[in-house]
């Protein structure tokens, strides 16, 4: 007697994500048919909406795990973090692709974007941002390409990528560093509108340091969730080490942030006084710094927290939430529209951002299922017969130079 084969169905969560992607695609079709104003609440008094704040400013910073982990492993030769390099680069690549798709929806006439290449404005931060997005996306595509070549057994292109690996890594670090800085430089244009508790000449430096801090935090988050979903957990000592690195970087960021507030109003301490009497901006500032910087810095510095996957995961969430809150403060909350205008995102604007993130999650799951993304550790793999991690164990190999 034969046992009937169980019918394989897509999980409900994946179907829901796919539905969100379909809603995004339908919204995008309407946007291109009817125009930007038909689906968004942006106006001449509020040129930047949630897409710039979330998709661009947050998306680029949250993709920083790619260049920070590449620097940690290939420049500083901290080999124990090797297993998380490729997932970090994949996350960064998908993050930048989502930024590109979001910009193509947000730009008034995206079909003219190529003209930027032939009409250089070297004094424009936006020009630098455009080039950084194009170049770093291309570099990330090359950095993640070995996973595809290994899957297809294409030895010649794989050897070529290995030959140029270190120049690629260095190029990615340089371009991404410039990109994080340039987003801060672009915010310097708001000297008359951005709240003075956030506006500072060192915004480019603050953007860069905060992105470096959130990069390893994103790797902790992504590795924890991937371990739950695919059964190939990263060793605790790797995540613990990343948490310790984050605590040091948050310390540097906190010194810059507080030092700027203290010395910006010297000798009258105007900004410092504003923290005591400028309500409600001071509440937002303290919430951002205490919950998003000080608290995770203290937690990551505690050995007991670093020995707990739950503790590491929650601390990483605080860092990520703090950065997202900071970018929203700078691009939306503390950047008021022109007098007489108000702004709250339309449901279509939410649908675009949510649909893009949903699509990124689906592609990430497919990549982990069909490509050699995660490094295989026999002692850490949970035995789940229906998972790709165990059925295609031979395809789960190490990073680029394994």
């Amino acid at each position: 007697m034969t046992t009937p084969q169980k019918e394989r169905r897509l999980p409900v969560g994946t179907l829901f994500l796919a539905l969100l992607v379909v809603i995004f695609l339908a919204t995008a079709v309407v946007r291109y048919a009817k125009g930007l104003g038909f689906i968004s609440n942006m106006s001449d008094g509020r040129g930047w909406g949630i897409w710039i704040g979330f998709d661009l400013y947050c998306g680029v910073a949250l993709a920083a795990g790619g260049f920070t982990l590449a620097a940690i492993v290939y420049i500083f030769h901290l080999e124990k973090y090797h297993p998380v390099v490729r997932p970090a680069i994949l996350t960064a690549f998908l993050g930048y692709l989502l930024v590109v798709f979001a910009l193509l929806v947000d730009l008034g006439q995206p079909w003219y974007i190529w003209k930027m290449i032939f009409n250089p404005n070297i004094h424009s931060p936006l020009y630098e941002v455009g080039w950084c997005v194009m170049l770093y996306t291309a570099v990330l595509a090359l950095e993640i390409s070995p996973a595809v070549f290994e899957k297809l057994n294409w030895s010649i292109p794989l050897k070529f990528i290995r030959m140029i690996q270190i120049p690629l890594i260095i190029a990615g670090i340089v371009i991404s560093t410039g990109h994080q800085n340039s987003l801060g430089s672009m915010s310097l244009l708001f000297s008359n509108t951005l709240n003075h508790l956030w506006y500072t000449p060192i915004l480019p430096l603050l953007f860069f340091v905060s992105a470096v801090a959130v990069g390893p935090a994103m790797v902790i988050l992504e590795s924890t969730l991937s371990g739950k979903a695919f059964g190939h957990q990263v060793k605790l000592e790797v995540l613990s080490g990343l948490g310790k690195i984050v605590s040091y970087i948050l310390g540097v960021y906190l010194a810059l942030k507080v030092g700027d507030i203290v010395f910006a109003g010297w000798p009258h301490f105007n900004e410092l006084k504003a923290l005591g009497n400028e309500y409600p901006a001071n509440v937002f500032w303290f919430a951002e710094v205490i919950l998003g910087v000080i608290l995770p810095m203290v937690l990551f510095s505690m050995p007991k927290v670093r020995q707990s996957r739950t503790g590491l995961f929650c601390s990483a969430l605080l860092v990520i939430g703090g950065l997202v809150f900071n970018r929203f403060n700078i691009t939306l909350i503390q950047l008021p529209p022109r007098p007489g205008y108000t702004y709250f995102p339309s449901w279509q604007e939410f649908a675009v951002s949510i649909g893009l993130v949903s699509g990124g999650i689906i592609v990430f799951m497919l990549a982990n299922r069909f490509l050699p993304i995660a490094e295989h550790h026999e002692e850490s793999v949970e035995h789940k017969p229906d998972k790709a991690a165990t059925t295609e164990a031979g395809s789960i190999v190490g990073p680029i130079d394994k």
Side-chain angles (χ1 to χ4, degrees):
M1 181 178 178
T2 59
T3 303
Q5 188 173 5
K6 187 176 181 180
E7 185 180 356
R8 294 179 65 87
R9 296 179 179 176
L10 283 174
V12 175
T14 305
L15 289 175
F16 182 67
L17 291 174
L19 175 62
L20 294 175
V21 174
V22 171
I23 294 174
F24 154 67
L25 293 174
T27 304
V29 170
V30 175
R31 175 260 176 269
Y32 288 115
K34 299 289 187 178
L36 194 59
F38 192 81
I39 66 163
S40 80
N41 285 338
M42 289 184 286
S43 63
D44 291 339
R46 167 59 78 177
W48 281 14
I50 192 174
W51 294 334
I52 294 296
F54 179 73
D55 299 335
L56 179 60
Y57 271 71
C58 294
V60 168
L62 296 179
F67 86 92
T68 52
L69 261 295
I72 288 172
V73 172
Y74 294 107
I75 304 301
F76 297 107
H77 301 291
L78 300 176
E79 291 295 327
K80 78 172 184 178
Y81 300 108
H82 218 169
V84 292
V85 169
R86 187 172 284 184
I89 291 175
L90 172 63
T91 304
F93 178 54
L94 295 178
Y96 265 73
L97 285 182
L98 298 185
V99 169
V100 170
F101 289 136
L103 287 175
L104 290 179
V105 175
D106 194 16
L107 293 176
Q109 296 178 315
W111 40 88
Y112 290 135
I113 193 172
W114 59 272
K115 290 193 174 183
M116 181 198 75
I117 299 173
F118 302 102
N119 296 277
N121 182 2
I122 60 174
H123 301 294
S124 168
L126 195 57
Y127 179 71
E128 182 183 353
V129 169
W131 269 107
C132 286
V133 170
M134 287 189 295
L135 292 176
Y136 192 47
T137 304
V139 168
L140 286 170
L142 290 173
E143 288 181 347
I144 200 62
S145 64
V148 179
F149 297 147
E150 289 170 10
K151 181 67 178 179
L152 299 175
N153 289 322
W154 289 2
S155 58
I156 295 178
L158 184 59
K159 288 180 181 177
F160 174 74
I161 293 297
R162 285 175 175 168
M163 287 174 56
I164 63 171
Q165 178 188 10
I166 295 303
L168 269 181
I169 296 296
I170 294 173
I173 294 171
V174 172
I175 295 169
S176 189
T177 299
H179 194 193
Q180 303 292 346
N181 285 324
S182 62
L183 288 177
S185 300
M186 204 157 63
S187 299
L188 293 177
L189 299 173
F190 310 135
S191 59
N192 295 324
T193 49
L194 180 60
N195 187 291
H196 63 125
L197 291 178
W198 280 267
Y199 183 84
T200 167
I202 66 167
L203 264 177
L205 179 60
L206 290 176
F207 267 56
F208 172 71
V209 177
S210 59
V212 173
V214 85
M218 275 296 294
V219 174
I220 293 173
L221 178 80
E222 173 266 318
S223 299
T224 304
L225 295 178
S226 295
K228 294 287 185 183
F230 306 110
H232 42 70
Q233 287 190 341
V234 175
K235 290 181 178 178
L236 182 59
E237 64 173 318
V238 174
L239 302 183
S240 176
L242 290 176
K244 194 171 185 178
I245 292 173
V246 174
S247 69
Y248 289 127
I249 302 172
L250 286 178
V252 174
Y253 178 79
L254 180 64
L256 291 170
K257 185 87 173 175
V258 175
D260 176 68
I261 285 290
V262 172
F263 291 105
W266 187 274
H268 303 292
F269 304 106
N270 294 332
E271 275 69 18
L272 201 58
K273 294 175 182 175
L275 286 179
N277 54 33
E278 195 169 306
Y279 178 82
N282 54 357
V283 175
F284 282 83
W285 192 92
F286 279 116
E288 177 188 313
V289 172
I290 293 175
L291 297 178
V293 181
I294 297 177
L295 182 57
M297 181 183 68
V298 172
L299 290 173
F300 274 133
S301 65
M302 299 169 63
K304 186 177 180 181
V305 173
R306 294 203 307 273
Q307 294 306 312
S308 164
R309 290 186 183 273
T310 302
L312 288 165
F313 180 77
C314 293
S315 302
L317 275 181
L318 285 172
V319 178
I320 295 166
L323 181 131
V324 170
F325 192 39
N326 171 262
R327 298 307 194 257
F328 271 122
N329 273 325
I330 291 174
T331 58
L332 287 174
I333 301 172
Q334 306 301 330
L335 186 68
R338 289 179 183 172
Y341 289 90
T342 59
Y343 170 76
F344 188 81
S346 66
W347 72 265
Q348 293 97 329
E349 290 175 75
F350 284 117
V352 168
S353 294
I354 294 172
L356 283 171
V357 173
S358 302
I361 294 173
I362 292 175
V363 175
F364 185 84
M365 291 192 299
L366 291 173
N368 271 277
R369 184 175 181 82
F370 294 108
L371 296 176
I373 299 298
E375 187 164 331
H376 185 64
H377 293 289
E378 292 291 347
E379 70 275 17
S380 63
V381 174
E382 296 177 4
H383 296 286
K384 296 181 179 179
D386 58 336
K387 297 292 185 182
T390 52
T391 56
E392 297 184 24
S395 69
I396 301 178
V397 296
I400 188 171
D401 53 352
K402 288 282 182 178

